[in-house]
Amino acid sequence: MTRYIFVVGGVISGVGKGVATASIAKILQGKGFRVTAVKIDPYVNVDAGTLNPLEHGEVFVTDDGTECDQDIGNYERFLNENLSSVNYMTTGGVYYSVIMRERNLGYGGKTVQVVPHIPQEVIDRIEKAGKEHKADFVLIEVGGTVGEYENLLFLEAARMMKLATPKQVLVVLVSYLPIPESVGEMKTKPTQHAARALNTAGLQPDIILARAKVPVDEPRKSKIATFTNVAVEDVISAPDVDSIYEIPLNFEKDRLGNRILKKFGLRESKRDLKDWTKFVESSKKAGKAVRIGIVGKYFEIGDFTLTDSYLSVIEAIKHAAWQLKRKPEITWLSAEHYEKDRKFLKELERFDGIIVPGGFGSRGAEGKIRAIEYCRTRRIPFFGLCFGLQLAVIEFARNVVGIKGATSGEFNEKAKDKVIDVMPEQKTLLEKKKYGASMRLGAYEAQLKKGTIAYEAYKKTMISERHRHRYEVNDTYRDALIENGMVVSGVNPIKNLVEIIELKGHPFFVGTQFHPELKSRPLTPHPLFLAFLQAAGRGRKK
Ligand code: GLN
């Protein structure tokens, strides 16, 4: 029998509902159950692929090429499992399937209605995820906060499921408790309102995760309990923590796992998260700092710096650094800065390693190219991810091979020397403006060349990594690049596409056409991130 736990948000968004969902999943997995998690995004986009990362954070990609919300990345990292298209849905995606089915007479001439057909499609998808993952528990995270118009139909799905199988469904409310500076006290009222908003949708929270700056004390726990109709033991304290990976352990301090099992009528379990606890403890003991600069553009939003667009890169750095017993220190560097004046490049000297992550379009690209040139010539460890590889090839073509006008078709379609160019099968898609879910997406293999940095890192000849791009290294220029010293260390065996480049005689200079960050896990850091952090950790020889 599969059981379902809906996780909904109250008061404000951005308080870590995704990580809370992943943490509950982890706790239950630790107790020996098979667990999977589904993310529901209430927007009308069919998937996350067409969203500007500044709007919605990173676009995560699964092995099967689903472009989804960054929380899928959190689930994968916490559960150490590969997820797929069944683990993600949006309002747009749900309506799209229902409309397609109606067009194919799939409803046999019936009137297709918002209720029940839309929530029923949601329920079918949730159940499908459970079946496909053979799950004992399916966690379902409903995006947004209760009381919003957008996610009502998903709450309706939860209500319908609970009505049909009350013993198989739980509702967890992740709420926020502010401590206004002028008052100096943690306030529970917004949470009371959130629970009431949930009641209006026909749902009663079974458990409340009380997110706040500090742990929630007993008087406030009992106040929340009284006003929201929840047992005091089911108000779980969820204070801010240094590392998201501590959260399952924190929840367990309030015995969340066994509370959930009990509510489902299951036997309590003494099993806990042994390896995870060890990992969290050793990460806290990490010693000397390793300073990594990330040259990007998707983080300056008005007066705020939001780094969600590069979430998996940040996590991959942490996993590798911790394994090497080093403390990761990440700094955001604005690519456009280097376009204004080369003198700003000098700041790169302060870092042990520089990453140029994925990206799209020409804004900031020349600044990144300047940063890459600086890393190459000043022998600063460099790691280029997807766009980072493409720009490293452009830099090398211009400054080493001597092709002054080298560029990417992404910046100038009519340029003479497009050392990076659109893949042939992508060309017609772009001409027809078929942008959605049409990039080279998901897992593809690469064959590694022995004796290279890449081979030494992976220690095998065939790897599989996740992709999300339309452009590639133009084969016309491959020989010239190689003759001038660039090493092509990874190649797709079927299409012969360049997958990894590197430079010899440099402390670390590697670019990948894929996104290695998407496959890094806390207990098994990505081999290339490990190699990069290792090189960075050696420090610079002046
Ligand atoms: N814009 C580049 C492309 O489409 C790189 C994409 C990326 O970095 N994910 O090929």
Side-chain angles (χ1 to χ4, degrees):
M1 181 163 67
T2 308
R3 291 166 172 89
Y4 303 91
I5 304 173
F6 283 85
V7 181
V8 301
V11 185
I12 54 170
S13 64
V15 289
K17 191 151 35 85
V19 175
T21 305
S23 299
I24 300 172
K26 183 78 210 168
I27 291 169
L28 294 170
Q29 186 191 51
K31 294 205 175 290
F33 294 97
R34 283 199 55 83
V35 189
T36 195
V38 173
K39 170 75 193 253
I40 297 178
D41 267 332
Y43 45 68
V44 182
N45 303 59
V46 173
D47 59 38
T50 51
L51 284 168
N52 182 331
L54 280 176
E55 287 263 331
H56 197 71
E58 170 183 86
V59 178
F60 193 79
V61 183
T62 51
D63 271 347
D64 71 350
T66 305
E67 292 173 286
C68 50
D69 184 78
Q70 61 190 34
D71 278 324
I72 303 294
N74 283 324
Y75 306 161
E76 283 202 348
R77 287 186 282 267
F78 276 68
L79 288 173
N80 191 25
E81 272 180 30
N82 293 332
L83 303 185
S84 67
S85 63
V86 296
N87 297 89
Y88 181 61
M89 72 179 101
T90 67
T91 299
V94 169
Y95 269 89
Y96 195 73
S97 321
V98 170
I99 291 169
M100 286 322 221
R101 189 170 310 126
E102 182 276 327
R103 294 286 81 187
N104 301 334
L105 266 183
Y107 291 98
K110 269 198 160 30
T111 312
V112 183
Q113 294 183 292
V114 172
V115 179
H117 294 105
I118 297 295
Q120 191 55 53
E121 169 69 19
V122 174
I123 294 170
D124 292 347
R125 285 176 174 225
I126 291 169
E127 289 178 346
K128 187 172 172 207
K131 272 200 197 88
E132 239 167 73
H133 288 276
K134 298 190 179 63
D136 302 310
F137 291 100
V138 182
L139 276 288
I140 307 108
E141 179 191 350
V142 181
T145 44
V146 291
E148 276 173 31
Y149 187 76
E150 277 199 321
N151 57 22
L152 261 181
L153 287 170
F154 300 109
L155 299 181
E156 182 64 6
R159 190 193 63 78
M160 283 163 66
M161 279 183 94
K162 181 117 190 172
L163 184 69
T165 51
K167 291 200 172 84
Q168 276 166 261
V169 178
L170 278 192
V171 178
V172 176
L173 172 65
V174 182
S175 196
Y176 181 67
L177 292 107
I179 309 174
E181 227 171 280
S182 54
V183 187
E185 183 201 347
M186 186 185 286
K187 303 303 280 182
T188 64
K189 189 79 79 198
T191 296
Q192 298 175 33
H193 284 303
R196 227 158 273 164
L198 197 54
N199 291 157
T200 313
L203 290 167
Q204 165 63 29
D206 296 287
I207 289 169
I208 294 186
L209 298 182
R211 284 282 298 115
K213 203 162 174 221
V214 293
V216 180
D217 59 7
E218 287 309 318
R220 274 155 201 84
K221 273 192 179 177
S222 63
K223 197 164 178 184
I224 295 170
T226 311
F227 283 96
T228 63
N229 215 9
V230 162
V232 186
E233 310 86 272
D234 294 326
V235 180
I236 309 287
S237 195
D240 286 352
V241 281
D242 290 336
S243 158
I244 53 169
Y245 301 111
E246 282 175 48
I247 294 172
L249 308 179
N250 259 1
F251 285 173
E252 276 300 74
K253 284 184 194 152
D254 278 353
R255 304 186 62 253
L256 177 60
N258 280 333
R259 291 298 302 168
I260 291 175
L261 295 185
K262 199 162 167 213
K263 281 181 187 297
F264 280 122
L266 295 166
R267 227 179 320 123
E268 297 192 5
S269 152
K270 283 211 177 71
R271 281 174 68 168
D272 61 7
L273 300 164
K274 228 197 258 132
D275 290 350
W276 195 263
T277 310
K278 240 202 269 157
F279 150 72
V280 170
E281 274 165 12
S282 90
S283 73
K284 279 188 178 164
K285 282 193 221 120
K288 205 172 144 206
V290 52
R291 297 157 304 176
I292 303 299
I294 302 183
V295 183
K297 66 170 176 181
Y298 299 123
F299 48 79
E300 288 161 323
I301 302 160
D303 293 340
F304 299 93
T305 298
L306 297 177
T307 56
D308 263 11
S309 313
Y310 303 109
L311 188 70
S312 293
V313 179
I314 302 172
E315 296 310 312
I317 294 171
K318 288 185 195 164
H319 304 158
W322 287 333
Q323 178 140 142
L324 299 167
K325 303 207 179 343
R326 300 291 295 264
K327 198 164 106 209
E329 236 177 61
I330 298 169
T331 305
W332 301 95
L333 305 168
S334 164
E336 281 165 290
H337 219 52
Y338 306 137
E339 288 175 5
K340 286 192 198 109
D341 196 332
R342 274 185 193 271
K343 75 168 194 266
F344 294 123
L345 288 165
K346 230 180 149 13
E347 70 178 352
L348 298 177
E349 296 283 349
R350 294 204 326 259
F351 298 97
D352 300 313
I354 296 293
I355 289 182
V356 174
F360 293 84
S362 56
R363 181 170 72 85
E366 288 300 325
K368 292 179 189 172
I369 292 174
R370 286 184 178 183
I372 295 169
E373 179 187 6
Y374 198 90
C375 291
R376 182 177 57 77
T377 53
R378 301 281 308 157
R379 300 173 55 76
I380 302 172
F382 163 79
F383 195 13
L385 315 173
C386 196
F387 201 44
L389 167 139
Q390 297 175 357
L391 299 178
V393 169
I394 293 172
E395 190 279 318
F396 192 84
R398 284 184 192 171
N399 301 324
V400 180
V401 186
I403 310 169
K404 289 286 168 256
T407 188
S408 165
E410 188 172 357
F411 312 144
N412 179 4
E413 230 182 292
K414 297 199 179 75
K416 184 166 147 275
D417 287 309
K418 292 182 283 188
V419 293
I420 302 296
D421 203 4
V422 68
M423 291 182 262
E425 61 272 35
Q426 287 289 330
K427 218 172 164 155
T428 38
L429 291 170
L430 288 183
E431 278 160 11
K432 290 186 188 150
K433 292 198 183 313
K434 291 203 164 167
Y435 298 122
S438 65
M439 289 188 225
R440 181 171 181 243
L441 290 169
Y444 287 94
E445 287 194 317
Q447 184 145 22
L448 303 186
K449 194 169 159 185
K450 290 208 166 133
T452 58
I453 302 175
Y455 180 82
E456 284 312 312
Y458 285 95
K459 301 222 168 5
K460 55 182 176 188
T461 44
M462 201 58 99
I463 59 161
S464 169
E465 292 283 359
R466 296 180 187 173
H467 298 70
R468 181 170 186 256
H469 63 119
R470 293 189 200 278
Y471 296 81
E472 59 168 326
V473 177
N474 183 343
D475 219 33
T476 319
Y477 297 88
R478 195 190 295 197
D479 288 345
L481 294 166
I482 294 172
E483 277 158 26
N484 283 277
M486 184 164 268
V487 178
V488 174
S489 51
V491 169
N492 175 270
I494 294 165
K495 290 205 161 169
N496 191 29
L497 304 178
V498 172
E499 293 279 11
I500 312 179
I501 58 120
E502 52 188 75
L503 293 182
K504 269 201 196 116
H506 188 286
F508 189 95
F509 193 101
V510 175
T512 60
Q513 187 54 79
F514 49 83
H515 289 275
E517 70 273 20
L518 301 179
K519 283 183 64 173
S520 177
R521 306 273 166 86
L523 301 175
T524 46
H526 191 281
L528 285 177
F529 272 89
L530 264 181
F532 168 63
L533 263 298
Q534 223 152 19
R538 272 179 220 123
R540 306 256 329 273
K541 284 188 207 84
K542 293 267 161 77

